[in-house]
Amino acid sequence: MALEALNQKRIDFTIHFCSTSYAGVLASLASGRCVSAILASTVNNNFRILGEKEGFPQLKKLELSIAYREQDNTKSSYLFAQLVKDYFYNKKL
């Protein structure tokens, strides 16, 4: 999504780091040597959100999904899914 938006605006970019770890992405951002597309609701006060004023394209809305087994409704996976769902439903995005 982010790369597509950069390409549509003909903004040159180079990928220097790739991680599926949120902690890894935050560490890379903390170095001050890169930018990344992360959920605005997860940005802390140590980072600045860059947008159209800074020359970055606006990104499309993102839909999140959580998958778990309903039969495990007393297990930690169900409780975690409920916690995440409640967080995002109550968050002003």
Side-chain angles (χ1 to χ4, degrees):
M1 178 185 340
L3 301 182
E4 178 184 324
L6 291 170
N7 283 328
Q8 285 179 350
K9 294 284 186 176
R10 292 189 162 78
I11 297 173
D12 291 332
F13 62 89
T14 303
I15 298 173
H16 288 280
F17 178 78
C18 185
S19 177
T20 57
S21 163
Y22 181 66
V25 172
L26 289 182
S28 180
L29 289 171
S31 76
R33 303 181 73 185
C34 68
V35 298
S36 181
I38 61 175
L39 294 173
S41 62
T42 66
V43 174
N44 63 37
N45 293 334
N46 297 324
F47 302 112
R48 183 168 61 113
I49 296 176
L50 303 173
E52 293 179 282
K53 288 192 295 187
E54 293 81 15
F56 288 89
Q58 184 172 1
L59 300 180
K60 296 176 186 175
K61 294 280 184 183
L62 179 67
E63 183 176 315
L64 295 176
S65 298
I66 299 173
Y68 63 94
R69 285 178 31 141
E70 281 193 56
Q71 294 87 348
D72 293 339
N73 63 1
T74 60
K75 303 233 182 212
S76 58
S77 59
Y78 172 80
L79 296 173
F80 178 73
Q82 288 300 109
L83 177 73
V84 172
K85 185 174 94 172
D86 292 346
Y87 174 81
F88 282 105
Y89 275 123
N90 294 320
K91 194 82 167 167
K92 300 283 187 213
L93 301 178

